[in-house]
Amino acid sequence: MNYLYSLNPLLQTIIATLFTFTITSLGSALVFFFKKVNHNILKSMLALSAGIMLSASFFSLINPAIEQSNKLNLNIPLTLSIGLFLGTTLLYLADKLFNKKIKHKSIKRNIMLILSITIHNIPEGMAIGVAFASILTSITTPASAFALAIGIGIQNFPEGSAISLPLRQDGLSRFKSFLFGSLSGLIEIISGIIGYLLVLKISILLPYLLSFAAGAMIYVVIQELIPDSQNSNKKEFMTILTMIGFTIMMILDLSLG
């Protein structure tokens, strides 16, 4: 880990997003072994990752956004509100757009799966890139940024299988189902680099991008992860897992960051 911490933050960004992409691919690879995966296992992972991402939104993104806004003498409530609103609005509009454009039920389901998860991976990748870029301003640490990437990576596993398994059930080959599931995570590498470079070139964007990423992640947690995980006969257990995920990420961030 010390070697990873000593690397250039841009290289750390690439490594971290490659990690999240790999986890997505591993989730997609379940299509080679199963036609279906135990729903309770997938829902447990969603519940855990919901807590991790919610915690990361506050401790790894919003808190650093407050610190950087203070350093730049920006209006903190206004800056965070703008970022949170834009992050939330982006995903809301994307969901509405693709819900209206696609009518055929089977095609709609599959395309929505691919597009929605791919779109949601954009701010997640940016969150990683922004987190590592903020190392240069001493707002966060490599350990904290990697912890954020791990949290995002965990929830990418069920996302990968959520694409590949339904595609396989609808008659697509195992390889093509795997390929579509894996490619949905590729955007995180690209968006991670873009997020990093944006902060590097225009430092005043950092608090806006941090809160933007937080807004997008919170939207995903509230709109998808928590409802999906709660759609179970073990709701109390899923709630406990969400709190465990939140606590784990909080401890990691506060002790390492």
Side-chain angles (χ1 to χ4, degrees):
M1 290 302 295
N2 287 334
Y3 173 72
L4 286 177
Y5 294 165
S6 67
L7 296 175
N8 179 279
L10 177 57
L11 186 55
Q12 291 174 333
T13 299
I14 295 172
I15 292 172
T17 49
L18 276 172
F19 165 76
T20 59
F21 166 71
T22 301
I23 299 299
T24 303
S25 298
L26 289 174
S28 301
L30 290 180
V31 76
F32 292 114
F33 307 100
F34 308 100
K35 287 186 177 180
K36 291 184 178 181
V37 180
N38 188 295
H39 285 295
N40 284 330
I41 294 176
L42 292 179
K43 290 182 185 300
S44 295
M45 294 188 70
L46 290 175
L48 188 66
S49 60
I52 291 173
M53 289 178 66
L54 195 59
S55 182
S57 297
F58 287 99
F59 295 104
S60 297
L61 297 173
I62 292 178
N63 276 350
I66 293 172
E67 291 180 26
Q68 186 66 6
S69 295
N70 192 43
K71 284 185 179 181
L72 295 172
N73 293 318
L74 297 174
N75 184 301
I76 295 174
L78 180 61
T79 300
L80 267 63
S81 296
I82 291 173
L84 288 167
F85 176 78
L86 291 176
T88 301
T89 302
L90 171 69
L91 294 190
Y92 172 79
L93 292 177
D95 283 345
K96 289 295 182 183
L97 173 65
F98 291 113
N99 270 319
K100 289 181 178 179
K101 289 287 185 182
I102 306 161
K103 302 298 182 184
H104 189 279
K105 187 175 181 181
S106 179
I107 295 176
K108 177 181 178 179
R109 183 180 67 249
N110 291 334
I111 293 180
M112 275 299 297
L113 275 172
I114 297 169
L115 289 179
S116 63
I117 290 177
T118 301
I119 290 169
H120 291 159
N121 283 342
I122 294 175
E124 290 173 6
M126 287 190 69
I128 294 173
V130 170
F132 280 102
S134 63
I135 293 172
L136 299 173
T137 58
S138 301
I139 290 181
T140 189
T141 65
S144 178
F146 275 114
L148 172 63
I150 290 171
I152 292 174
I154 289 174
Q155 62 96 33
N156 279 4
F157 186 88
E159 283 187 356
S161 62
I163 292 178
S164 63
L165 292 173
L167 289 177
R168 175 57 181 163
Q169 288 175 346
D170 281 351
L172 216 61
S173 69
R174 292 182 187 274
F175 178 75
K176 286 184 178 179
S177 300
F178 164 76
L179 187 62
F180 280 118
S182 296
L183 289 178
S184 69
L186 190 61
I187 193 67
E188 286 194 356
I189 301 174
I190 300 169
S191 58
I193 294 173
I194 291 173
Y196 177 90
L197 293 177
L198 278 174
V199 172
L200 200 63
K201 297 297 181 182
I202 314 173
S203 59
I204 198 170
L205 287 179
L206 179 54
Y208 293 100
L209 289 175
L210 283 166
S211 52
F212 170 89
M217 287 177 64
I218 292 171
Y219 180 92
V220 172
V221 170
I222 296 174
Q223 174 72 9
E224 295 191 3
L225 299 186
I226 290 179
D228 285 351
S229 65
Q230 286 290 312
N231 186 20
S232 164
N233 56 2
K234 299 181 179 180
K235 292 184 179 181
E236 294 82 4
F237 177 67
M238 298 302 169
T239 301
I240 292 171
L241 281 179
T242 299
M243 290 306 302
I244 289 173
F246 186 97
T247 305
I248 289 172
M249 186 65 198
M250 178 187 69
I251 292 171
L252 285 173
D253 203 286
L254 294 178
S255 59
L256 299 178

